[in-house]
């Protein structure tokens, strides 16, 4: 897992630019605040499917990434236990997607 990506998620959390947890993430998507949805690899299949649906429902068009880290690693990076979160800032989301794409290459 990319440590820079996890560190950036921690910075975004401290800056108040994340919605952490299922209910907060769905609310951010519905209210058009979310720019990016992030899930850990060991999130349940039901949660993954539900969040991917929420990100595309009514043409929301929010990108949804599944990181190659477990819930403990993601939770450690953001300081609270969660399998899903949304990034509600354009700058943070672009950098996170960029780091994610680097990792995939």
């Amino acid at each position: 897992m990319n440590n820079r990506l996890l560190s950036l998620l921690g910075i975004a959390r401290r800056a108040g630019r994340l919605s952490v947890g299922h209910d907060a993430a769905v609310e951010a998507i519905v209210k058009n605040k979310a720019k990016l949805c992030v899930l850990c690899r060991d999130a349940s299949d039901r949660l993954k499917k539900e969040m991917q649906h929420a990100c595309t429902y009514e043409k929301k068009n929010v990108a949804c990434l599944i990181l190659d880290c477990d819930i403990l690693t993601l939770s450690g990076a953001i300081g609270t236990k969660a399998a899903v979160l949304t990034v509600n800032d354009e700058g943070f989301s672009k950098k996170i997607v960029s780091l994610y794409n680097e990792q995939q290459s």
Side-chain angles (χ1 to χ4, degrees):
M1 183 69 237
N2 188 330
N3 287 335
R4 290 175 50 206
L5 193 154
L6 291 173
S7 295
L8 190 59
L9 284 172
I11 292 168
R13 167 72 176 184
R14 289 186 294 279
R17 300 293 190 250
L18 299 183
S19 294
V20 180
H22 174 272
D23 293 343
V26 169
E27 182 179 347
I29 293 168
V30 168
K31 291 185 176 181
N32 295 317
K33 293 179 181 179
K35 309 298 182 211
L36 174 68
C37 180
V38 177
L39 294 139
C40 60
R41 73 167 175 255
D42 60 347
S44 71
D45 291 335
R46 179 177 173 235
L47 178 62
K48 290 175 185 174
K49 184 177 178 181
E50 184 177 340
M51 294 310 297
Q52 289 170 340
H53 175 68
C55 288
T56 57
Y57 183 71
E58 292 184 356
K59 301 179 184 177
K60 295 292 183 193
N61 203 23
V62 176
C64 192
L65 301 180
I66 299 175
L67 300 183
D68 186 29
C69 68
D70 60 14
I71 190 169
L72 294 176
T73 305
L74 180 60
S75 297
I78 61 173
T80 187
K81 188 173 181 182
V84 62
L85 58 90
T86 59
V87 180
N88 304 329
D89 180 87
E90 191 72 36
F92 279 121
S93 66
K94 285 182 180 178
K95 185 62 177 175
I96 289 167
V97 170
S98 171
L99 291 171
Y100 178 82
N101 289 337
E102 278 180 25
Q103 175 187 338
Q104 300 304 309
S105 303

